[in-house]
Amino acid sequence: DQVVATAHTRGHVRLWSQARSYQWVNLPAPAASQHAGGYGYLRLGGGRVISTLYADRAADASTRRDFGAGYFGRFTAVPGVKIRERVYAPFGDDPVLLHDVTIRNDCRCPFRGDWIEYWGVNPRSVVGNRYIGLAAPRYDRRLRTLIAAQLPDPVDRRPHTVYAAALRGRVADWTTDAQRFFGAGGRALPDEVAAGRLSGTPAPRHPGGAPGRHLFAFRTPVSIPIGGSVTLRYAYGIARGGRVPGLVRRWRAAAAPLARSQRAWRSWLPQVRFGAGRKWLSRELQWD
């Protein structure tokens, strides 16, 4: 009820908040290495990198995008590996998006690689069309959470905090500096992803007024047996700074949050019947 996100045909997801000053949280600004987020990179054992952003899909990849009620789905498959993703707002009032990533090994040998989760942090308010300042981000190792507090300004003197957390899957390393992360490789093949290691570099404090250098990225090593799969889960959102630890703990403990949300949507959305040939009316009412 509190979160709105827009999913785009190019494959990224933008988070919107009206909790304080109406704002985008991760507005794209490609010239400043801000690419919204909600997707990631799979680095294969041989060093090949697969981006799950549709705009940067590999030539040999099979892809699909699903625009559903409360979720955005992506499917990316290359020979030997399948990646299924869902970005969704869990049913209820928590200010959080969840990103489930399931990686399946269809090779004839065990799979070892890295998943790099990416979310941009580029808050811009539509009140005054201003980019909001950000404090230097920090990493909470115990919570496996990256946090960047927005800076107060004359429009909003008590702004919320942007956060991302690895809920399911360990964090080998992380970074928050877009310039270091993308480097010369750019969005399609970021330098730190290609190198197989994130630098842990904190972005500098950003005064606002223009796009900054903040991002949230985690590297999670994965090891998958023949025919097996692994599911990772991440959270991204904006909330009062004091609420962030509780939100992270709650959704880390949640069992099957997507399935539970779908069941809740199914019972909550209106059902109408206007006779044969008009089932589409119920579907469109639910979508709206």
Side-chain angles (χ1 to χ4, degrees):
D1 294 337
Q2 190 173 138
V3 165
V4 173
T6 59
H8 296 255
T9 57
R10 292 173 63 82
H12 61 273
V13 176
R14 291 163 53 173
L15 176 60
W16 169 263
S17 174
Q18 295 182 190
R20 299 289 298 170
S21 171
Y22 291 12
Q23 67 174 101
W24 294 106
V25 180
N26 56 337
L27 188 72
S33 297
Q34 292 287 352
H35 304 294
Y39 62 92
Y41 303 86
L42 183 65
R43 187 178 188 274
L44 308 181
R48 183 186 179 189
V49 173
I50 304 299
S51 171
T52 64
L53 184 69
Y54 182 77
D56 294 330
R57 62 196 182 280
D60 61 345
S62 299
T63 61
R64 188 176 71 240
R65 290 155 293 167
D66 297 329
F67 297 87
Y71 76 92
F72 173 51
R74 277 191 304 266
F75 175 77
T76 308
V78 296
V81 182
K82 293 184 175 70
I83 310 164
R84 188 180 303 275
E85 302 170 78
R86 296 289 187 271
V87 179
Y88 55 102
F91 191 89
D93 198 40
D94 279 351
V96 63
L97 294 178
L98 300 182
H99 182 199
D100 291 358
V101 184
T102 298
I103 305 167
R104 178 176 174 81
N105 178 16
D106 286 342
C107 292
R108 296 180 179 178
C109 57
F111 173 85
R112 290 182 179 274
D114 296 289
W115 173 259
I116 296 87
E117 176 79 0
Y118 164 69
W119 286 94
V121 183
N122 189 36
R124 186 179 184 185
S125 174
V126 300
V127 180
N129 290 322
R130 74 197 196 283
Y131 284 97
I132 301 169
L134 291 162
R138 62 183 178 88
Y139 178 62
D140 186 318
R141 187 178 300 277
R142 183 172 54 87
L143 288 176
R144 304 200 303 277
T145 300
L146 288 164
I147 300 166
Q150 296 184 122
L151 300 179
D153 63 22
V155 174
D156 187 357
R157 300 189 182 279
R158 300 177 60 202
H160 284 185
T161 292
V162 187
Y163 68 95
L167 301 181
R168 187 171 179 177
R170 75 182 184 91
V171 176
D173 41 48
W174 53 269
T175 194
T176 61
D177 190 320
Q179 290 186 9
R180 287 285 299 272
F181 178 76
F182 289 107
R187 186 188 66 194
L189 186 60
D191 283 2
E192 292 193 352
V193 175
R197 182 175 179 81
L198 305 186
S199 62
T201 305
R205 182 183 185 275
H206 175 54
R213 291 168 53 177
H214 285 54
L215 63 73
F216 292 154
F218 303 98
R219 181 174 68 90
T220 300
V222 291
S223 180
I224 309 172
I226 300 169
S229 65
V230 63
T231 296
L232 311 174
R233 179 171 297 128
Y234 301 87
Y236 180 73
I238 182 169
R240 288 272 180 224
R243 286 196 66 191
V244 171
L247 288 166
V248 170
R249 293 189 185 99
R250 174 180 177 178
W251 290 105
R252 179 167 289 141
L258 177 58
R260 293 179 66 183
S261 287
Q262 289 176 322
R263 288 194 295 271
W265 278 115
R266 190 175 296 120
S267 63
W268 185 89
L269 288 169
Q271 307 284 336
V272 296
R273 295 179 181 177
F274 295 113
R278 294 186 175 87
K279 292 181 179 179
W280 65 272
L281 284 169
S282 184
R283 184 185 68 238
E284 292 301 314
L285 179 61
Q286 292 170 6
W287 178 271
D288 188 65

